[in-house]
Amino acid sequence: MSSIDSVGERKIVTFSLGQQMFGIEMSALIEIREWEEPTPLPSVASYIKGVTNLRGTVIPVVGLAERLGWAPSAIHSRSCILVVSISGKQAGFLVDEVADIVLIKDNEIQAAPEVEIGEEGVISGLVQISARTTEGMSASEGAEMVSLLDLNALSLTRQMDLAA
C-alpha cells in the first residue's frame, strides 16, 4: 500500500530523538523492531552500530542521533529500530521512541529554513501535527512541529555497502 492515500496526502511515521520529533514516509518503512544489540563491525563510521539479521538479510543498524551529529541515544525500554528501504537497500535506524502514524496534507508541509546546519538537506520539510490530546489540554497545546527526514540525503549507501 502506498503512503499517498489520495491526491496531496501522505502517511508519515513520527518518532523522537532526544526532545525533537521527526517523521519519515510510511512507504519507506519496512518494520519497527524492538531494540537488540547489533553485531559490531570494524572500520565503519562511528554512527554504524553494527549489523543485525532481518529474516536472513544482514542489515546495518545506524545510530540516527549520531548520524545527525548529536550525542548517541541512550538505550531504554522504548528504544527501537525503524527498518527502512533507502534506494532499494535496507537499513535500521535506532530511535528513542516511535510516536504515531499520521496522515498529513502536502500543503501543510513547510520548507526547512535555509540555515547552515551540519547535515545539509536531510530535513525535507517541517509540518505541525496535532499531538494526541489529553483531557483538559487545548488543541494548540497538543500541536507539535515534526521535521521530515529525507532518507536519501543521509548518504548512507556507501556505508550500507561496507556494513552489509
Side-chain angles (χ1 to χ4, degrees), residues 15 32-36 61-62 75-83 92-99:
F15 57 91
I32 300 169
R33 298 186 71 168
E34 189 175 308
W35 171 254
E36 62 182 56
V61 176
V62 176
I75 305 300
H76 54 82
S77 63
R78 304 284 293 166
S79 296
C80 58
I81 300 172
L82 297 180
V83 179
F93 287 108
L94 168 61
V95 300
D96 291 344
E97 183 175 348
V98 172

Short mmCIF file of all heavy atoms in Angstrom, two decimals, residues 15 32-36 61-62 75-83 92-99:
data_model
loop_
_atom_site.label_atom_id
_atom_site.label_comp_id
_atom_site.label_asym_id
_atom_site.label_seq_id
_atom_site.Cartn_x
_atom_site.Cartn_y
_atom_site.Cartn_z
N PHE A 15 8.59 9.86 15.20
CA PHE A 15 9.39 9.26 16.26
C PHE A 15 10.22 10.36 16.91
O PHE A 15 10.43 11.43 16.34
CB PHE A 15 10.30 8.15 15.72
CG PHE A 15 11.21 8.59 14.62
CD1 PHE A 15 12.49 9.07 14.90
CD2 PHE A 15 10.80 8.54 13.30
CE1 PHE A 15 13.33 9.48 13.89
CE2 PHE A 15 11.64 8.96 12.27
CZ PHE A 15 12.91 9.43 12.57
N ILE A 32 9.04 -2.06 12.32
CA ILE A 32 9.55 -1.48 13.57
C ILE A 32 9.96 -2.66 14.44
O ILE A 32 9.15 -3.56 14.69
CB ILE A 32 8.48 -0.63 14.28
CG1 ILE A 32 8.04 0.52 13.37
CG2 ILE A 32 9.00 -0.11 15.61
CD1 ILE A 32 6.80 1.26 13.86
N ARG A 33 11.22 -2.65 14.87
CA ARG A 33 11.74 -3.76 15.68
C ARG A 33 12.14 -3.29 17.06
O ARG A 33 12.62 -2.17 17.24
CB ARG A 33 12.99 -4.35 15.02
CG ARG A 33 12.73 -4.94 13.65
CD ARG A 33 13.94 -5.62 13.13
NE ARG A 33 14.15 -6.85 13.90
CZ ARG A 33 15.00 -7.79 13.54
NH1 ARG A 33 15.74 -7.64 12.47
NH2 ARG A 33 15.14 -8.87 14.26
N GLU A 34 11.96 -4.16 18.01
CA GLU A 34 12.44 -3.91 19.36
C GLU A 34 13.96 -3.84 19.31
O GLU A 34 14.60 -4.52 18.51
CB GLU A 34 11.98 -5.08 20.24
CG GLU A 34 12.20 -4.88 21.70
CD GLU A 34 11.61 -6.03 22.49
OE1 GLU A 34 10.42 -6.35 22.29
OE2 GLU A 34 12.35 -6.60 23.31
N TRP A 35 14.54 -2.99 20.17
CA TRP A 35 15.99 -2.86 20.18
C TRP A 35 16.65 -4.16 20.57
O TRP A 35 16.25 -4.84 21.51
CB TRP A 35 16.44 -1.76 21.15
CG TRP A 35 17.92 -1.75 21.35
CD1 TRP A 35 18.60 -2.18 22.45
CD2 TRP A 35 18.92 -1.33 20.41
NE1 TRP A 35 19.96 -2.04 22.25
CE2 TRP A 35 20.18 -1.52 21.01
CE3 TRP A 35 18.87 -0.81 19.12
CZ2 TRP A 35 21.37 -1.21 20.37
CZ3 TRP A 35 20.05 -0.50 18.48
CH2 TRP A 35 21.28 -0.70 19.11
N GLU A 36 17.66 -4.53 19.81
CA GLU A 36 18.54 -5.64 20.17
C GLU A 36 19.94 -5.21 19.76
O GLU A 36 20.13 -4.53 18.76
CB GLU A 36 18.14 -6.94 19.48
CG GLU A 36 18.20 -6.89 17.97
CD GLU A 36 17.76 -8.19 17.31
OE1 GLU A 36 16.63 -8.62 17.59
OE2 GLU A 36 18.54 -8.74 16.54
N VAL A 61 22.76 -1.27 11.24
CA VAL A 61 21.96 -0.53 12.22
C VAL A 61 22.69 0.80 12.46
O VAL A 61 23.86 0.81 12.85
CB VAL A 61 21.80 -1.31 13.53
CG1 VAL A 61 21.04 -0.48 14.57
CG2 VAL A 61 21.09 -2.63 13.28
N VAL A 62 21.98 1.89 12.21
CA VAL A 62 22.55 3.23 12.27
C VAL A 62 22.02 3.96 13.50
O VAL A 62 20.80 3.99 13.72
CB VAL A 62 22.16 4.03 11.00
CG1 VAL A 62 22.65 5.47 11.08
CG2 VAL A 62 22.69 3.33 9.76
N ILE A 75 19.99 3.93 25.38
CA ILE A 75 19.09 2.79 25.17
C ILE A 75 18.19 2.64 26.40
O ILE A 75 18.66 2.67 27.53
CB ILE A 75 19.90 1.49 24.95
CG1 ILE A 75 20.88 1.66 23.79
CG2 ILE A 75 18.96 0.31 24.72
CD1 ILE A 75 20.26 1.99 22.46
N HIS A 76 16.88 2.51 26.15
CA HIS A 76 15.91 2.32 27.22
C HIS A 76 14.78 1.42 26.71
O HIS A 76 14.84 0.94 25.57
CB HIS A 76 15.37 3.67 27.72
CG HIS A 76 14.83 4.53 26.63
ND1 HIS A 76 13.57 4.40 26.12
CD2 HIS A 76 15.41 5.54 25.93
CE1 HIS A 76 13.38 5.28 25.16
NE2 HIS A 76 14.48 5.98 25.02
N SER A 77 13.77 1.18 27.51
CA SER A 77 12.73 0.21 27.17
C SER A 77 11.92 0.58 25.92
O SER A 77 11.33 -0.28 25.29
CB SER A 77 11.79 0.00 28.36
OG SER A 77 11.11 1.21 28.66
N ARG A 78 11.86 1.86 25.54
CA ARG A 78 11.09 2.28 24.36
C ARG A 78 11.96 2.45 23.12
O ARG A 78 11.45 2.76 22.05
CB ARG A 78 10.37 3.60 24.66
CG ARG A 78 9.44 3.59 25.88
CD ARG A 78 8.15 2.89 25.66
NE ARG A 78 7.36 3.65 24.70
CZ ARG A 78 6.30 3.17 24.11
NH1 ARG A 78 5.89 1.96 24.37
NH2 ARG A 78 5.63 3.90 23.25
N SER A 79 13.27 2.25 23.25
CA SER A 79 14.17 2.34 22.09
C SER A 79 13.77 1.27 21.08
O SER A 79 13.41 0.15 21.45
CB SER A 79 15.62 2.09 22.51
OG SER A 79 16.07 3.08 23.37
N CYS A 80 13.85 1.64 19.81
CA CYS A 80 13.53 0.65 18.78
C CYS A 80 14.29 0.96 17.50
O CYS A 80 14.94 1.99 17.37
CB CYS A 80 12.03 0.58 18.54
SG CYS A 80 11.28 2.11 18.05
N ILE A 81 14.19 0.04 16.57
CA ILE A 81 14.86 0.17 15.28
C ILE A 81 13.78 0.28 14.21
O ILE A 81 12.90 -0.57 14.10
CB ILE A 81 15.75 -1.06 14.99
CG1 ILE A 81 16.83 -1.19 16.07
CG2 ILE A 81 16.37 -0.96 13.61
CD1 ILE A 81 17.63 -2.48 15.98
N LEU A 82 13.87 1.37 13.43
CA LEU A 82 13.00 1.52 12.27
C LEU A 82 13.75 0.93 11.08
O LEU A 82 14.80 1.44 10.70
CB LEU A 82 12.70 3.00 11.99
CG LEU A 82 11.95 3.78 13.04
CD1 LEU A 82 11.75 5.22 12.58
CD2 LEU A 82 10.60 3.15 13.33
N VAL A 83 13.23 -0.15 10.53
CA VAL A 83 13.86 -0.75 9.36
C VAL A 83 13.24 -0.10 8.14
O VAL A 83 12.01 -0.12 7.97
CB VAL A 83 13.66 -2.28 9.33
CG1 VAL A 83 14.32 -2.88 8.09
CG2 VAL A 83 14.22 -2.92 10.60
N GLY A 92 18.56 -0.18 9.34
CA GLY A 92 17.81 0.03 10.58
C GLY A 92 18.30 1.30 11.25
O GLY A 92 19.50 1.56 11.30
N PHE A 93 17.37 2.12 11.73
CA PHE A 93 17.72 3.35 12.44
C PHE A 93 17.30 3.22 13.90
O PHE A 93 16.13 2.96 14.20
CB PHE A 93 17.00 4.56 11.84
CG PHE A 93 17.54 4.99 10.52
CD1 PHE A 93 16.82 4.78 9.36
CD2 PHE A 93 18.77 5.61 10.43
CE1 PHE A 93 17.32 5.18 8.14
CE2 PHE A 93 19.28 6.02 9.21
CZ PHE A 93 18.56 5.80 8.06
N LEU A 94 18.27 3.42 14.80
CA LEU A 94 17.97 3.45 16.22
C LEU A 94 17.29 4.78 16.54
O LEU A 94 17.84 5.84 16.24
CB LEU A 94 19.26 3.31 17.04
CG LEU A 94 19.14 3.61 18.54
CD1 LEU A 94 18.18 2.65 19.23
CD2 LEU A 94 20.52 3.56 19.19
N VAL A 95 16.08 4.73 17.10
CA VAL A 95 15.36 5.93 17.52
C VAL A 95 14.95 5.77 18.98
O VAL A 95 14.90 4.65 19.50
CB VAL A 95 14.12 6.21 16.62
CG1 VAL A 95 14.54 6.39 15.17
CG2 VAL A 95 13.07 5.12 16.74
N ASP A 96 14.65 6.89 19.62
CA ASP A 96 14.31 6.84 21.04
C ASP A 96 12.93 6.24 21.29
O ASP A 96 12.75 5.47 22.22
CB ASP A 96 14.37 8.24 21.66
CG ASP A 96 15.79 8.76 21.73
OD1 ASP A 96 16.74 7.96 21.61
OD2 ASP A 96 15.97 9.97 21.92
N GLU A 97 11.97 6.60 20.43
CA GLU A 97 10.62 6.09 20.63
C GLU A 97 9.76 6.40 19.41
O GLU A 97 9.81 7.51 18.87
CB GLU A 97 9.99 6.76 21.86
CG GLU A 97 8.64 6.28 22.22
CD GLU A 97 8.11 6.89 23.52
OE1 GLU A 97 8.90 7.51 24.26
OE2 GLU A 97 6.92 6.74 23.77
N VAL A 98 8.99 5.44 18.94
CA VAL A 98 8.04 5.69 17.86
C VAL A 98 6.80 6.32 18.48
O VAL A 98 6.32 5.87 19.52
CB VAL A 98 7.68 4.39 17.12
CG1 VAL A 98 6.55 4.61 16.13
CG2 VAL A 98 8.90 3.84 16.40
N ALA A 99 6.30 7.37 17.84
CA ALA A 99 5.17 8.10 18.40
C ALA A 99 3.85 7.70 17.76
O ALA A 99 2.93 7.25 18.43
CB ALA A 99 5.38 9.61 18.27
#
